[in-house]
Amino acid sequence: MRRGGSGRKKLQYIPGLSVVESALIRIPKYDNRCLFYAIAVARLYNRLMHDTDGDDDEEKRKNRARTAYNQVERLRWNHKRLAETAIEMMESAGIPQGLPVYTHEHVKQLQDSFDRGYPETFRIVIFGEKSGHKSLYNGGVISKYNLILYHN
């Protein structure tokens, strides 16, 4: 006899090896700039979630989380705005448009651009499906906003 519940299977979490799927913000793959779309969304989310006025009670945290979620969802599904944001980041970093594939070298260019324009503000870190604790790319110095991406 089944008792209540959502019917979902309980996830087995293995520290350091598991990714909590419900915590991921999925990026639609419109074209080959999805890496930059993910960085744009992570940048927005981090700024909205972590900018506080110092007085951070439970109600303010809930409101900030709700606002961040709504803003991220609007950006994530508005391809035109998402593309404009990604292209603006790419242009400021000197990354060419229309390449068939973008690599970690292009992420490094973007990280260097962030470091010049916003010192110690953004750090890009990319993990992969099989990388475990080891990152595929690490932008260096721990910064105010760590943009943690998971690529699968």
Side-chain angles (χ1 to χ4, degrees):
M1 182 167 128
R2 193 167 157 228
R3 297 179 188 252
S6 65
R8 295 178 73 188
K9 292 182 180 178
K10 183 172 171 71
L11 298 174
Q12 180 183 6
Y13 178 73
I14 303 168
L17 297 176
S18 297
V19 172
V20 179
E21 293 287 326
S22 63
L24 299 176
I25 299 171
R26 301 206 177 275
I27 304 300
K29 188 168 182 173
Y30 296 114
D31 53 39
N32 64 344
R33 290 186 299 240
C34 58
L35 172 63
F36 299 99
Y37 300 155
I39 293 169
V41 168
R43 197 168 82 159
L44 173 66
Y45 177 80
N46 275 274
R47 284 196 328 243
L48 291 170
M49 281 301 294
H50 301 294
D51 278 346
T52 65
D53 56 8
D55 182 24
D56 204 24
D57 63 15
E58 184 67 24
E59 190 62 32
K60 284 187 178 182
R61 275 195 300 277
K62 284 181 183 176
N63 287 337
R64 193 171 53 251
R66 192 176 309 109
T67 299
Y69 175 80
N70 290 336
Q71 291 287 329
V72 163
E73 284 300 293
R74 276 200 289 275
L75 177 61
R76 191 167 73 108
W77 293 108
N78 182 340
H79 181 248
K80 183 178 181 208
R81 189 169 147 230
L82 187 57
E84 288 169 355
T85 304
I87 290 168
E88 181 181 303
M89 282 190 320
M90 293 169 74
E91 285 175 349
S92 71
I95 299 169
Q97 299 293 310
L99 295 178
V101 70
Y102 292 97
T103 67
H104 293 105
E105 266 315 302
H106 298 105
V107 176
K108 183 177 180 343
Q109 273 183 265
L110 185 58
Q111 180 68 62
D112 292 343
S113 174
F114 285 163
D115 291 345
R116 283 189 305 275
Y118 313 95
E120 296 182 17
T121 305
F122 299 106
R123 174 178 74 150
I124 303 168
V125 181
I126 302 174
F127 290 92
E129 196 168 19
K130 295 181 172 80
S131 68
H133 286 275
K134 187 168 173 55
S135 60
L136 300 173
Y137 175 83
N138 187 328
V141 180
I142 294 176
S143 301
K144 182 176 180 181
Y145 304 115
N146 294 298
L147 312 179
I148 311 296
L149 306 179
Y150 173 73
H151 181 268
N152 64 354

